Amino acid sequence: MTVIAVEKDPQALTLSLTAEFDAPPERIWQLWADPRKLERWWGPPTYPSTFTAHDLRPGGRMAYHMTGPSGEQPHGWWEVVEVEAPRRLVFRDGFANDDGTPDDSLPVTVAQVTIEPLDVGRTRMRIDSRFPSAEAMEQVVAMGVEEGLTQAISQIDAILAEEAGLRA
């Protein structure tokens, strides 16, 4: 399994996920940089995502929705804060209403993605989400974000294997 650790730190208000892949950092970065690749893994398998906006630069915005098994479509948005390709990405991550406007009834987190090389051809990716309060963290964790993110990340190996087969 790709995900090697999930850590919740209520004192620091963080949820962190660490995963390792048999691919160089540049290939892992492309999973964020290419909206069609991002759609293939962002969201659990039963909630595939569709990105309707993808502007990966500081100040840029991303907009997406996931489609659930019953046709429900929860929406989300990102506001890109920092980009250091292919090593680091920081964005504000929020929930959205059906029209794409921010849903102010749900918390906004700050996500930091760190991509670092390991041995030759291997990469570690860490996603650290920081919550504005303990209550916000509890609310989002209760919504299943830990399980959903773990399932989402676990889809990446298949994408990388498929791409490797196309290169061969």
Side-chain angles (χ1 to χ4, degrees):
M1 184 164 168
T2 305
V3 176
I4 60 169
V6 178
E7 304 160 41
K8 287 184 276 203
D9 185 342
Q11 307 256 311
L13 302 175
T14 58
L15 172 67
S16 301
L17 183 142
T18 304
E20 293 183 358
F21 304 98
D22 289 324
E26 294 75 17
R27 284 193 55 215
I28 302 307
W29 177 260
Q30 282 304 308
L31 296 169
W32 294 92
D34 180 332
R36 303 298 72 93
K37 289 180 182 177
L38 186 56
E39 287 176 337
R40 294 189 58 200
W41 68 269
W42 185 256
T46 57
Y47 277 81
S49 63
T50 301
F51 276 78
T52 55
H54 185 277
D55 186 0
L56 189 62
R57 63 182 175 83
R61 286 190 62 87
M62 313 271 216
Y64 67 91
H65 64 269
M66 296 178 184
T67 302
S70 301
E72 67 276 22
Q73 292 191 330
H75 291 252
W77 59 269
W78 299 346
E79 180 182 282
V80 180
V81 178
E82 297 176 39
V83 177
E84 295 174 30
R87 303 280 188 244
R88 189 167 180 266
L89 171 64
V90 179
F91 57 93
R92 294 179 65 233
D93 182 6
F95 296 89
N97 298 305
D98 289 345
D99 65 359
T101 59
D103 181 345
D104 296 330
S105 70
L106 293 168
V108 174
T109 61
V110 175
Q112 177 175 295
V113 180
T114 306
I115 300 170
E116 61 181 340
L118 297 172
D119 303 329
V120 175
R122 288 193 47 78
T123 300
R124 177 176 293 138
M125 178 175 73
R126 183 173 168 107
I127 302 172
D128 294 298
S129 297
R130 181 171 305 281
F131 296 84
S133 67
E135 296 77 23
M137 183 174 180
E138 289 172 17
Q139 181 181 17
V140 174
V141 168
M143 294 170 68
V145 74
E146 179 181 346
E147 297 83 2
L149 186 57
T150 299
Q151 290 175 10
I153 298 293
S154 295
Q155 299 174 105
I156 291 176
D157 280 334
I159 297 167
L160 295 171
E162 181 183 295
E163 289 177 355
L166 293 175
R167 295 179 211 271

